Amino acid sequence: MTKPMATREGYGQALVELGRRNERVVVLDADLSKSTQTVRFAREFPERFFNAGVAEANLIGMAAGLAASGFIPFASTFAIFATQRAYNQIFQSVAYPGLNVKIAASHGGITVGEDGASHQAIDDLALMRALPGMTVLVPADAHEAYQATLAAAEWEGPVYIRLGRPTVPLITSPDKPFTIGRIQVLREGEDVTLAACGHMVKVALEAAEELKRKGYGAAVLNVSTLKPLDRETLLHWASRTGAVVTVEEHSIIGGLGSAVAEVLSEECPVPLIRLGVRDTFGQSGKPHELLHHYGLTAGNVVEAAEKIIKRKGGRNGQSDA
Amino acid sequence: MLLAKLNAPGEYRELERKAQLIRQHVIRMLMHAGSGHPGGSLSAVDILTALYFRVMRIDPENPQDPDRDRFILSKGHAAPALYAVLAERGFFPVSWLESLRRLGSPLQGHPDMRKVPGVEMSTGSLGQGLSVGVGMALAAKLRGSGCRVFVLLGDGECQEGQVWEAAMAAGHYRLNNLVAIVDRNRLQIDGETEKVMALEPLAAKWRAFNWSVIEIDGHNFEEIVPALERVGYAQKPTAIIAHTVKGKGVSFMENQVDWHGVAPKPEQGIQALKELGGR
């Protein structure tokens, strides 16, 4: 796994590994098994794979019944359908009883691309985060998606894993186990904190590199567990740098930006800029075109970082001395 | 029915007595709580009594036995009837019943599987129980367990699209260990089901989804018990359309749509208990 790969592929590979390790793991899909990559599990373990057809409400209900009977179901479809079409089912039949269902949804965010707004989940993280007891994971690359899937299987209780469609570069280590609830500090820096999740982690790293060339030190946080949020690490870097930029392939309402804002405004109010989709819908286009259109490139992050560093009163000069 | 004739006369008298006791509990609980759903609780009492006191393989001493039969009250608003049955069957003390709908009580307005021993699934938002039943039936097949899964649905509930998603899946997977019982009392909150959103031909709908369908009188144990015991014979899931009377057992509640979700006032409750042979 060295060449770029979609996070959904890491998920599909992890399912096969889980299938071998644990006979209680079962997988369900809603007619998108090739896209979500559950097809890999379906081929190896056909007796433990259940297709619900194009019926997301029933997909989640079946998963709940399997979980209530001691199995560890992974239910997959596109993020927009998993969360929006089955929201009340997830609330009533999964989250409220706290059943051990893993909802692994691919095609999160606008990088779904050409299919357009109807297939681009930009509020899935907000919806899942609002559910009491729901754990929300957003792996940054295929390695992390693989490890996050293994970790989710070990975790007792409902988990939402957001996966993506496009091939993305690998930035995390393949062998590093995923710790749910822990922010990964990918880079240290004293002037600004860039907190990102999913595909945007790579963008934040590129931005940090560019900021370095401009003489700024940027810390980069991979917030791959959106809930429960690692407040300690976030607060440490927020207070150390005094300025935060969040970057997410999601609406700025209810996702990473909101989660960070909630913690900072209560415990460490520092200037914050949230980059993401701004109260609007997605549209058709190539993924890189869409990221450009919605202001989610490394250049946009650099611009936001410079702006916020200025707002807080300049660089933390002493730290660079 | 042929099977019914094989049963000894008076065989179901004990069940009838038990059902009457359950109905008294339901009325008392609702009087205490001051809110709740009498109509759909009373229509379901005989079915629940047959399941828990005759048909289902369950053990209140060992409620987590992996091979136990499962019951899901998809029409979660009939919770008082389920609670009364579970208490009488020994899953928890009868004294809990008075706490229905009180702050901090395990007996929530709709069933919570994490709070009440014997409750297999948290329900309340209509249309979801059959999907969970499909999952449980699949799980039983995977484990090679002979346990059976019974799901009780309201008839109005069958207007939910998810019910038919689940019905399609159960037919597809040939889940002959799954039984859907429809409490066909013909009334829903806004009036008669056939006027609000017609369900008929209801039996034909289930048949079209590859279910084996039986229609019974949902208040006659001579029909209820044999129908419930028929599960597993066909290589299909079984739908039992149980024709019932909303508010069954209390004259002024029977077939009255306004008794869907209103608790009896004290004098009404006393009258109802008198009719049910209680105090």
Side-chain angles (χ1 to χ4, degrees), chain B residues 23-65:
Chain B
R23 285 192 164 87
Q24 294 166 20
H25 280 311
V26 167
I27 296 297
R28 278 195 211 97
M29 292 164 79
L30 292 172
M31 282 169 72
H32 273 292
S35 68
H37 299 83
S41 295
L42 293 172
S43 65
V45 163
D46 297 311
I47 297 160
L48 286 166
T49 303
L51 280 167
Y52 277 89
F53 291 93
R54 174 71 183 245
V55 177
M56 282 170 57
R57 296 187 283 252
I58 44 165
D59 178 7
E61 302 296 315
N62 188 12
Q64 293 305 315
D65 178 356

Side-chain angles (χ1 to χ4, degrees), chain A residues 51 58 88-89 92-93 97, chain B residues 114 125 128 131 162 165 173:
Chain A
N51 207 323
N58 191 47
N88 187 240
Q89 285 73 23
Q92 168 75 54
S93 294
Chain B
R114 299 301 184 191
S125 178
Q128 302 194 21
S131 293
Q162 188 184 350
E165 291 184 8
Y173 287 109

Side-chain angles (χ1 to χ4, degrees), chain B residues 3 86 103 134 138 157 218 268:
Chain B
L3 282 170
L86 289 173
L103 184 66
V134 169
L138 285 170
E157 182 178 11
Q268 293 170 319

Side-chain angles (χ1 to χ4, degrees), chain A:
Chain A
M1 292 218 302
T2 48
K3 65 177 191 342
M5 192 181 275
T7 51
R8 59 192 164 118
E9 292 179 77
Y11 167 62
Q13 291 174 357
L15 285 184
V16 174
E17 174 61 24
L18 281 172
R20 291 184 189 128
R21 277 191 203 178
N22 190 341
E23 60 180 17
R24 291 195 301 141
V25 169
V26 295
V27 176
L28 302 92
D29 206 299
D31 195 36
L32 289 168
S33 64
K34 294 187 192 82
S35 296
T36 62
Q37 293 288 302
T38 60
V39 67
R40 294 168 189 250
F41 183 94
R43 282 195 198 114
E44 292 233 12
F45 309 99
E47 73 289 353
R48 279 191 274 156
F49 175 80
F50 303 102
N51 207 323
V54 190
E56 293 78 13
N58 191 47
L59 170 82
I60 296 299
M62 290 201 301
L66 283 153
S69 302
F71 286 93
I72 305 172
F74 281 76
S76 290
T77 177
F78 286 178
I80 198 160
F81 307 136
T83 58
Q84 292 184 358
R85 295 205 66 126
Y87 193 66
N88 187 240
Q89 285 73 23
I90 297 173
F91 178 98
Q92 168 75 54
S93 294
V94 175
Y96 179 49
L99 285 170
N100 198 20
V101 175
K102 318 303 170 186
I103 300 158
S106 74
H107 292 55
I110 53 174
T111 52
V112 167
E114 292 84 345
D115 277 349
S118 64
H119 284 56
Q120 295 166 351
I122 54 168
D123 60 357
D124 56 322
L125 300 177
L127 291 168
M128 292 299 107
R129 211 165 67 81
L131 291 168
M134 179 65 76
T135 294
V136 181
L137 309 181
V138 193
D141 66 6
H143 287 330
E144 200 175 38
Y146 183 92
Q147 294 293 345
T149 304
L150 300 186
E154 296 291 321
W155 184 265
E156 185 63 35
V159 178
Y160 178 73
I161 310 174
R162 186 206 228 200
L163 305 161
R165 173 175 180 254
T167 296
V168 289
L170 292 162
I171 54 175
T172 69
S173 150
D175 309 318
K176 192 159 182 286
F178 188 95
T179 308
I180 290 176
R182 191 79 52 79
I183 284 175
Q184 277 186 66
V185 183
L186 299 183
R187 189 174 170 129
E188 303 202 342
E190 306 302 328
D191 296 316
V192 64
T193 299
L194 309 178
C197 64
H199 299 151
M200 294 300 103
V201 175
K202 170 71 175 162
V203 171
L205 284 170
E206 286 167 9
E209 197 56 36
E210 175 63 18
L211 284 164
K212 187 183 169 192
R213 278 196 285 275
K214 295 186 168 215
Y216 299 110
V220 176
L221 309 186
N222 175 14
V223 191
S224 46
T225 303
L226 192 51
K227 190 184 171 191
L229 188 60
D230 179 355
R231 301 167 77 95
E232 199 182 327
T233 303
L234 175 63
L235 288 168
H236 171 83
W237 285 98
S239 68
R240 189 158 152 184
T241 60
V244 178
V245 176
T246 60
V247 202
E248 62 193 309
E249 201 194 319
H250 185 274
S251 170
I252 56 166
I253 300 170
L256 171 68
S258 293
V260 168
E262 287 158 17
V263 173
L264 295 186
S265 61
E266 282 184 349
E267 298 187 43
C268 179
V270 298
L272 167 72
I273 291 179
R274 294 170 296 150
L275 296 181
V277 178
R278 304 191 72 81
D279 199 20
T280 186
F281 291 96
Q283 60 178 301
S284 291
K286 296 199 185 313
H288 72 272
E289 294 171 337
L290 290 164
L291 292 175
H292 189 263
H293 179 83
Y294 289 98
L296 289 170
T297 64
N300 297 123
V301 179
V302 169
E303 197 182 315
E306 287 184 306
K307 196 162 136 190
I308 206 162
I309 291 168
K310 196 173 289 175
R311 199 193 296 170
K312 73 163 178 173
R315 297 171 44 215
N316 294 349
Q318 67 278 18
S319 56
D320 287 331

Side-chain angles (χ1 to χ4, degrees), chain B residues 47-48 50-52 54-58 68-74 82 120-121 129-130 132-134 136-137 146-153 176-182 211 224-232 238 240:
Chain B
I47 297 160
L48 286 166
L51 280 167
Y52 277 89
R54 174 71 183 245
V55 177
M56 282 170 57
R57 296 187 283 252
I58 44 165
R68 71 195 183 277
D69 285 343
R70 307 302 204 274
F71 173 76
I72 298 170
L73 185 67
S74 194
L82 176 61
E120 296 284 1
M121 186 63 202
L130 192 57
V132 178
V134 169
M136 289 179 177
C147 78
R148 303 162 300 172
V149 183
F150 299 90
V151 182
L152 181 61
L153 301 103
N176 61 347
N177 52 351
L178 178 66
V179 183
I181 308 147
V182 180
W211 288 61
I224 300 171
V225 171
L228 290 171
E229 286 179 340
R230 224 183 74 159
V231 49
T238 300
I240 299 173

